[in-house]
Amino acid sequence: MFAVIRQTWPLLLGIMLLMIGNGMQGTLLGIRGGIEHIPTGLMSIVMAGYFGGFLLGSVMVPGMIRSVGHVRVFAALGSLISAVLIAYAMAPNWVAWTLLRVLIGFCFSGVYITAESWLNASATNETRGQALSAYMIVQMLGIITAQLLMNTADPGGYLLFVIPSLLVSLAFTPILLSARPAPAFGEIKRMSFARLYRISPLGCVGIFLMGGVFSALFGMASVWGSQAGLNVRDISAFVAAIYIGGLLLQYPIGYLSDRMDRRALVVVLAAIGALVVTLTLLTNPGIWGLLLAAAIAGGVANPVYALLLAYTNDHLSSEDMAAASAGLLFINGVGSMAGPLIVGWLMAQMGPNGFWLYIALLLATLTGYGAWRMTRRATVAPDGNFAVISPAATPLAVEAALEGKQDNITPQMAEVGAPQSALDLRDLDGAPLPPPQTEEPLMTTPNEIISFWRDEVGPQGWYEAKDEVDEQVRKRFLPAWTRAQELAEEWAGTPEGALAAIILTDQFPRNMFRGDGRSFDTDPLSRRLADAAIAAGHDMAIDPPMRQFFYLPFMHSEDLADQDRGIALFAEKMPGDNERHAQLHRDVIANFGRFPWRNADLGRETTAAEQAFLDAGAYGGMVQGRVSLDGSGGMV
């Protein structure tokens, strides 16, 4: 850590000065709004403006940097920040302040993005996590220092607007003089919110809720203090306590998060926060009680946000991280914009207690939703990817946090059978494929397979022969299939890993080698995987329709006992149309002892009865009701 600080101290110093300026303007406006007699409801609009501008900046600034470069964007936005900080005092009314808050939120977002890109460029893969941690610590220290400076002058005058303007101007000197060339901004692949929600429902809902909690604490704490009748010293101490709590609790919570189910930790922390805030709402704890409540609320808000990022990260493949970070930041931004508006309305209706009621409701909602989600998905073993991150972070910082991901693969926990004999590794033209290089890193992850099959192909592609799907599977997953035994043994210990291994060995070969006997080479392995996964209860941890892939290996078997088991599994655990298809597959095996439509692929001789069955429409004819079997090798 100290080596990172020595290397990046000019940049970190500049960031700290920027955060002092930002922390002062947020607290100062809340206090000054009370002095100017601006109603609470209108002040909530003013405070929401910052988060709207910040969200807009996170979307637009990368394009600006690609067009004119880091230095020009940084200098331009920095100049605007200094000007806005002075302009607040020149136009003390809610309309002007709202517009200025949108502008300064936009500018701070751009400044942070630029600074974070330089920080990222100055760090190595080994030091990037430490650099990000130092960056977040400096941010919080800057806001805490800002609260101390709030007591140096009269908030009704000009000086407290001049001080942050001066500090922001000074911040650019060490940053610009020390900045290295930053990496170019590429276009980020977009991920639909529906897909992001399917990947991590708790991550999406939780980050939305925590965006609302954070914006209430950061944006409305000083407004609450003014309405509650606190003096400047107590308001600044209250805001400082929020960040002191967040700073102190990040690391012990991070330690726990890498050693237990992160969802359980989220639920416990949110429940503690909701309880403390509710007690504060129902009692009159005095200033020291308020400071303790603020520290606990801040100690929950910052670490829980980072926990939710780490948990979402557990379910992402590497190529989805950038797109996911953009989506998560947008969700957080929407929650942040709504926070001050709702808090302001509640405070206008019921007084200062509306502030605490809003935070309590959001934390209680997260507690309940998190507990419910724990019943819907199996535990994913933590993999050490927790990163100290603030809800005020930009997409660059969030993406850097997600890049700390290690593939979520646990050792095999269930025996999957004897080692598979060597696979017939040939390309589509029949030439031998080179043997897999086991010393190279495994590039395919269980979540990559599941996301592709569930979200990109989907049910329509599962049951239809499509050349484009076959080509995608072949191009993306043939190397993984050649290592099927090795991957299966590593993945089999979790529901998602077992599901991915079964799809890789049962479904993908039918796409990769359509019309070729290799389509069925890994069928025995897929049945052993399915048998072990079902015995471990992994199938019931996966929601339909994906659950069916645990049972399809038995339906694909040419053994009658396997067919009977497939029917029983569908009837017991996933009744519906699949049960009918399983029965029809069993009828074919009972009648012919094999699937006649495989004969050509496997080089088997077709009997007269089988040919008649194929000519009559085969399985498609059975589904349509045009063909039925008599059970003795003939049709009726």
Side-chain angles (χ1 to χ4, degrees), residues 398-441:
V398 174
E399 187 179 348
L402 295 183
E403 284 177 349
K405 177 180 176 64
Q406 299 293 324
D407 288 342
N408 182 32
I409 300 174
T410 59
Q412 180 184 8
M413 296 175 62
E415 180 63 45
V416 297
Q420 172 79 356
S421 59
L423 299 177
D424 182 14
L425 305 182
R426 295 170 282 137
D427 65 21
L428 293 182
D429 296 323
L433 287 170
Q437 302 297 314
T438 56
E439 68 273 11
E440 294 182 0

Side-chain angles (χ1 to χ4, degrees), residues 40 223-224 227-228 281 343-357:
T40 300
V223 177
W224 166 83
Q227 192 181 75
L281 171 66
V343 170
W345 179 82
L346 286 172
M347 289 172 63
Q349 299 301 311
M350 58 183 299
N353 280 343
F355 175 79
W356 297 109
L357 176 62

